[in-house]
């Protein structure tokens, strides 16, 4: 990853700002840099700007049972004969799934890859329903977002540029995020550190109040970029592997 901090201009005398994203630390780099030709080659016939979208939903877990291919939004999977979705395959995207019909309820980011059961797309561990989907717009390879402590873009401010932040607390901010400005790219925020808990999708635009992203509380503790084959070779975000626990040494 790339981390740096600097004071940013602000209008309130009691506010502070952080900037993330300038210097490289090799031990934390998560994706390889690409030239423009490589980006365009990787993005050919994939999702994102100018690309195509393809998702396959299955009735049962592990890609079993009835299936249906989607290349555009679906407001109600029940109308397509699906009472439930047991697994999802994203061939090109990204997509966002929703707990309820007509794009309501919890949101689930679905990037290129396999989702063999509900807990692979729902980080809240409390919701297994997926009843509508639509393609997620990715407007550029660059990512830039401003987080604000208070509604109306007031209070302390944190700027994140081309990076993922697994813990806002660990980088000097806090868990209270009450308004957001997305200048570039598409992002997903999480209620808890380590990209856990309920997800909130932020496409390019302004969110003056946490109700604008369908949240009940102004709480976000981690945030990352949404990946796409248009701009990233791997096409999706990968959580770091959990280190193996050393085996206990038996007594002689």
């Amino acid at each position: 990853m790339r981390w740096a901090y600097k004071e940013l201009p602000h209008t309130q005398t009691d506010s502070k700002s952080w900037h993330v994203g300038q210097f490289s630390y090799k031990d934390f780099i998560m994706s390889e840099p690409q030239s423009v030709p490589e980006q365009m080659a990787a993005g050919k016939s994939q999702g994102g700007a100018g690309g195509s979208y393809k998702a396959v939903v299955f009735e049962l877990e592990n890609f079993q049972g009835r299936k249906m291919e989607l290349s555009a939004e679906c407001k109600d999977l029940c109308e397509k004969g699906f009472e439930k979705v047991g697994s999802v395959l994203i061939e090109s995207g990204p997509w966002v799934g929703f707990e309820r019909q007509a794009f309501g309820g919890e949101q689930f980011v679905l990037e290129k890859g396999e989702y063999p059961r509900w807990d692979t797309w729902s980080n809240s561990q409390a919701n297994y329903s997926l009843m509508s989907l639509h393609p997620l717009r990715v407007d550029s390879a660059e990512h830039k977002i401003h987080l604000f402590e208070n509604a109306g873009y007031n209070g302390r401010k944190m700027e994140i540029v081309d990076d993922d932040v697994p813990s806002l607390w660990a980088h000097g901010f806090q868990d209270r995020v009450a308004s957001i400005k997305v200048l570039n790219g598409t992002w997903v925020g999480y209620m808890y550190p380590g990209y856990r808990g309920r997800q909130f999708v932020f496409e390019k635009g302004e969110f003056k109040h946490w109700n604008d992203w369908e949240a009940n509380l102004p709480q976000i503790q981690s945030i990352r970029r949404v990946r796409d084959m248009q701009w990233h070779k791997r096409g999706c975000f990968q959580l770091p592997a959990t280190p193996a626990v050393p085996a206990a040494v038996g007594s002689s």
Side-chain angles (χ1 to χ4, degrees), residues 2 23 65 72 79 84 100 102 107 126-127 156 201 204 229-230:
R2 296 171 294 177
F23 304 105
E79 292 182 349
K84 66 175 183 178
R100 298 194 296 268
Q107 304 172 10
N127 198 323
R156 293 189 296 172
V201 175
K204 187 175 182 179
M229 283 294 290
Q230 173 87 359

Side-chain angles (χ1 to χ4, degrees), residues 161-206:
V161 180
D162 290 331
D163 233 325
D164 305 317
V165 182
S167 172
L168 298 183
W169 275 102
H171 294 279
F173 201 57
Q174 55 188 14
D175 64 349
R176 180 182 172 86
V177 178
S179 54
I180 291 175
K181 290 183 178 181
V182 179
L183 285 76
N184 295 103
T186 302
W187 300 75
V188 54
Y190 299 81
M191 287 191 69
Y192 304 116
Y195 315 116
R196 296 179 297 111
R198 186 165 181 172
Q199 305 174 43
F200 304 101
V201 175
F202 301 101
E203 295 179 287
K204 187 175 182 179
E206 298 186 354

Side-chain angles (χ1 to χ4, degrees), residues 116-132:
R117 52 177 279 127
W118 70 271
D119 55 5
T120 57
W121 66 71
S122 174
N123 289 311
S124 68
Q125 302 296 315
N127 198 323
Y128 58 85
S129 177
L130 195 160
M131 287 286 97
S132 55

Side-chain angles (χ1 to χ4, degrees), residues 15-54:
S15 65
K16 296 181 179 179
S17 299
W18 290 262
H19 176 81
V20 180
Q22 287 291 331
F23 304 105
S24 297
Y25 294 86
K26 293 181 180 179
D27 292 341
F28 297 96
I29 292 177
M30 299 182 67
S31 60
E32 300 177 358
Q34 292 175 260
S35 65
V36 172
E38 288 176 328
Q39 292 171 352
M40 297 308 295
K44 186 177 181 181
S45 298
Q46 301 294 331
S52 62
Y53 292 85
K54 184 178 180 181

